[in-house]
Amino acid sequence: MLGRTLREVSTALKQGHITPTELCQKCLSLIKKTKFLNAYITVSEEVALKQAEESEKRYKKGHSLGDLDGIPVAVKDNFSTSGIETTCASNILKGYVPPYNATVVQKLLDKGAVLMGKTNLDEFAMGSGSTDGVFGPVKNPWSYSKQYRGKRKQKAHGENEDSNWLITGGSSGGSAAAVAAFTCFAALGSDTGGSTRNPAAHCGVVGFKPSYGLVSRHGLIPLVNSMDVPGILTRCVDDAAIVLGMLAGHDPKDSTTIQDPVKPFTLPTLADVNKLCIGIPKEYLAPELSSEVRSFWSKAANLFESEGAKVIEVSLPHTSYSIICYHVLCTSEVASNMARFDGLEYGHRCDINVSTEAMYAATRREGFNDVVRGRILSGNFFLLKENYENYFIKAQKVRRLIANDFMNVFNSGVDVLLTPTTLSEAVPYLEFIKEDNRTRSAQDDIFTQAVNMAGLPAVSVPVALSNQGLPIGLQFIGRAFCDQQLLTVASWFEKQAQFPVIQLQELMDDFSSDFEIEKLSSVSLKQ
Amino acid sequence: MAAPVKRWSCVGKRWVLAYIDGGSRHGRGAAIGFTSRRKRGQSSVAQQPLITAQKSRKGEHEWEAVVGLEIHAQISSNSKLFSGSQVHFAAPPNSLVSFFDASLPGTLPVLNRRCVEAAVMTGLALNCRINKKSLFDRKHYFYADLPAGYQITQQRLPIAVNGSLAYSVCVGKKPSQVSTKTVRIKQIQLEQDSGKSLHDEPRSQTLIDLNRAGVGLLEVVLEPDMSCGEEAASAVRELQLILQALGTSQANMAEGQLRVDANISVHHPGEPLGVRTEVKNLNSARFLAKAIDFEIERQIHELENGRKILNETRSFDYKLGCTMPMRDKEGKQDYRFMPEPNLPPLLLHDTASLPPGADPQQVINIDWIRERLPELPSETREKLIQQYGMLPEHSFALLNEVGLLEFFQNVIKETRAEPKKVTSWVLNIFLGFLKQQNLTVNESPVTPSALAELLNLLDRKAISSSAAKQVFEELWRSKGKTPSQIVSEKKLELMQDQEALERVCHTVMEGHPQVVMDVKRGNPRAINKLMGLVRKATLSRADPTVIKKILERKLSS
């Protein structure tokens, strides 16, 4: 049961094959079993069981709230949750229990979803590995999969397997791991430069970043307000569409959400792709791109072409400036957004009380890690009067050029862009930390980050396993507010790709009955 | 930066001593300070009263002062600029604080429509161009009563620009010599107020009250078109009246709803403007004028002694009557302005640009607001002058007190007395009583109807004007009585009985043969003495013109 998709388990709940409480308990057991993954910062067991109980009552009365009623979900720990500690994986917010729910959290709860807990991340979502949070790194469930372990045994004998665990990618690594390890059926992430799509690709799940303004940011503790969007992590594209349908729409508490009413999302099944035009941005053929990813990317393009779609090479000429431009805009907003953490109203406060200034300084030094402090420092530098024109204003102009690149391509008739999500599959933690956070973020966001500059919807879909037995994802980018069209195309592709289910039997012997593991279905894109 | 600041503060302290040594507490602090220094042979300026001092000097010693103002007016609205918290003065500390006001992480600003309308109204009333598109920015600084670490303001593109404000100042000694001046308005911007810090020095603690945090402010920037404290105070007063007439701000300076920062510099005529200082947080018109005049004199004094003016922020010590450098504003402030990413551009419309089928709740129509602007103080004064033949200075006086005009109009409605009489009574007697007892018009024990009735009695000569004053005093003391009641209780009505009057006159003449003789010998003042005696005998209840007639008749017979 746990291995199913959200829609499948929803059907099972409606038909009474399982009750919400049973489902919740199974997930809770699995969360405990997989505690070593460090996917959750807080497990809200009591709340979850209570919510499941209420859901059960509704089902019994026949008053189900819809597809999400009774469905276990997880939420990244940078969304405000009423009565549940919200830390952003930072010392500065340890012990902070918000008095309100983020709009997206409230919407999930209003639809009957059961909140299992708050997932791990890089401190304040600054990172691409989920390795830089105060609660420690998140381990990629695929590290323990039969697929990966099988391959490793062939290669290196005698190596200590436990020390070779893989990163999840980030910064929403906890949410991606939670979905990948079957501890919930959908999770909220956040996506500022790829933070939902990157870990989705590394963990073999779907990671969807909606159009900026389609989903409310109220209650999402900001990284970069002008680029942040709540992200959705699920096991399949259809599930992402269901969740998006529940979350999308105007929020009076977020003035940047669209005013127009959003119609309910029902993902049509695409019969064929004859009328589609798929763009392949040539600038995304980066030298650092692994040959395996490149090969799956071209296979995917070929698949579309062979099925009747028009596949053309397109150019996004300002792509190479995107990372540096992002660096300026991101750190500037970070410097501003982090100013409120002064220890006065909430969160950590140091013991020093010589003066207000000394208290601020010590509180912030103790509260933030090096990555956050480094970004605050650079951001304040860019915002200085003498630097503002040369850095911030210029970066804004470049941002416009990058957004225009996408506009031009879409105006030329392209429906959807197809790109890699990441340079390669997930790397071992020990490998990953050889580079610092800044270098890693710059490398890892390369395919995902420009999308945030332009506010476009994008989704990472797992395609196949690499030679090492690790998931590889590809990214589809759509027109602004054409999220439904994007997901329709992604869903079609997902069906063709037939990505294999993660095999975690060894890990979860007790649950074997819950996983009606199918035989590894033939992977059409297998090398 | 630290050293010169220290020097300034020393200078300030010496002035403090000079002020006390000066021995007088009646004059202006600054002038006394300078006088005292001059006695010690250190200064040769500013012996004269402040404002004329600059003008009377000739040649190279002549100075011109330039004053610009930044005025913060709290918008009168039910809720704050970006949150739903209520706005109340003197509510229990931290009782009006939303999650956004406390800057809880993840909260976002939502613009209050009422505040935007208030800004548009104020902009229109001040002849501004309203920007159909304006932007919000973040201004960063760390302060305990600024929870977010930044203030949301409109630095780049404010809601209104290029306006003007006409105000009047007295030019001569007489109050009737009024001259109208104009100050240009650079811009009006919407921004958040900060919270309040209370410093508990003994316990070295700072207590924070966030009730005010996030209340909408209109920052009105006046160009440096003023030249002295009185001009600045008059301009602020006129702005205050306009805001109150519009209802966009209660603009009560004592309650901090109107706060003024003044930028001041001095220079020789024909030369470029001097380095300016900023005097912050002036919260009464009187202190505003005092602080500016002090600062002008201080700058002149410094420059004439070969010192330099620092571009610094100063505060006004109203007890000592001088400005001092502000300790916590030392060092270079870089506000690191940045666009506020959570608020889209603020778009306004006029009737021509209104999108068809737009939801009236979602759009603001400038023309619609313009058509509904209430009467402004300048228009009201003009009407008073036209309608009642009032002197301009009386029209100013009527508008200067909250509720006084309304009181005046209510009296006018109910009385047959001439408007000039009413004006005189309201401005001299009524206002005099209020001032003496430090009451507002609303707190007056005398109602407009009572005063109207009293003036009616006076108008039909039922009482004398001195009796009327007595009645008024009685009205003030004993609430609830009507003027007629008081008149009859105290027997204050004029003696209408001709025979009785004749008798009194006769008795007086009989009792004072010497005075009667004097009159007959041709002393013209002697009759006044007789009249005084008659008035005394009638307890002021006789009409003096009638008495005079009777006496004249009797004396000539």
Side-chain angles (χ1 to χ4, degrees), chain B residues 235-250:
Chain B
V236 168
R237 181 68 190 127
E238 186 65 15
L239 178 63
Q240 198 178 21
L241 290 174
I242 290 171
L243 294 172
Q244 286 164 347
L246 294 171
T248 54
S249 172
Q250 288 175 300

Side-chain angles (χ1 to χ4, degrees), chain B residues 348-361:
Chain B
L348 306 175
H349 296 275
D350 54 26
T351 304
S353 76
L354 205 62
D359 179 358
Q361 284 305 307

Side-chain angles (χ1 to χ4, degrees), chain A residues 290-357:
Chain A
S290 82
S291 57
E292 260 186 304
V293 176
R294 195 172 71 203
S295 149
F296 282 118
W297 184 19
S298 60
K299 275 174 202 289
N302 290 339
L303 172 71
F304 274 102
E305 200 161 35
S306 65
E307 293 292 321
K310 192 174 155 194
V311 178
I312 56 166
E313 185 186 82
V314 297
S315 175
L316 300 167
H318 298 94
T319 300
S320 63
Y321 306 109
S322 186
I323 288 290
I324 190 71
C325 167
Y326 175 76
H327 179 68
V328 174
L329 295 176
C330 169
T331 57
S332 298
E333 282 200 38
V334 163
S336 175
N337 287 332
M338 296 296 142
R340 71 187 54 211
F341 299 103
D342 56 14
L344 277 181
E345 280 81 16
Y346 43 80
H348 175 73
R349 188 195 292 189
C350 71
D351 297 327
I352 294 167
N353 56 6
V354 183
S355 71
T356 311
E357 287 74 17

Side-chain angles (χ1 to χ4, degrees), chain A residues 96 99-100 217-221 225 252-256 333 336-337 339-340 344-346 360 380 383-385 388 392, chain B residues 99 102-110 138 140 142-144 147-150 210 334 336-339 341-342 344:
Chain A
Y96 166 63
Y100 77 101
R217 291 180 295 113
H218 172 254
L220 166 59
I221 298 174
N225 299 283
K253 291 175 182 153
D254 177 357
S255 307
T256 61
E333 282 200 38
S336 175
N337 287 332
R340 71 187 54 211
L344 277 181
E345 280 81 16
Y346 43 80
Y360 284 162
N380 277 321
L383 289 178
L384 285 178
K385 205 174 178 185
Y388 187 71
F392 192 85
Chain B
F99 301 150
S103 79
L104 292 198
T107 52
L108 298 170
V110 179
R138 290 180 180 180
H140 299 89
F142 281 104
Y143 208 79
Y150 56 81
L210 294 181
D334 190 323
R336 290 157 289 131
F337 283 102
M338 186 191 91
N342 295 319

Side-chain angles (χ1 to χ4, degrees), chain A residues 29-151:
Chain A
S29 310
L30 197 48
I31 288 172
K32 279 170 199 162
K33 186 96 182 167
T34 58
K35 194 169 189 297
F36 64 93
L37 292 176
N38 207 13
Y40 288 82
I41 292 175
T42 306
V43 180
S44 45
E45 184 169 347
E46 273 180 42
V47 179
L49 285 168
K50 205 164 164 255
Q51 288 166 344
E53 203 179 297
E54 278 161 20
S55 169
E56 196 156 330
K57 280 184 203 157
R58 288 192 292 268
Y59 274 108
K60 274 184 186 151
K61 285 184 193 160
H63 294 153
S64 151
L65 295 170
D67 290 342
L68 280 187
D69 204 346
I71 304 286
V73 298
V75 171
K76 192 178 180 180
D77 206 23
N78 60 350
F79 286 93
S80 190
T81 45
S82 179
I84 302 172
E85 190 180 351
T86 299
T87 67
C88 288
S90 176
N91 270 327
I92 205 135
L93 280 179
K94 260 191 188 169
Y96 166 63
V97 179
Y100 77 101
N101 277 326
T103 298
V104 282
V105 171
Q106 192 60 50
K107 283 190 169 182
L108 289 176
L109 297 180
D110 289 347
K111 295 288 178 184
V114 176
L115 178 59
M116 308 309 293
K118 305 295 292 292
T119 59
N120 205 345
L121 64 156
D122 290 296
E123 185 163 331
F124 281 102
M126 297 183 205
S128 59
S130 299
T131 53
D132 281 330
V134 74
F135 299 100
V138 186
K139 295 178 178 176
N140 192 326
W142 284 86
S143 317
Y144 310 93
S145 69
K146 196 176 168 191
Q147 290 103 322
Y148 175 65
R149 296 217 158 184
K151 298 273 181 181

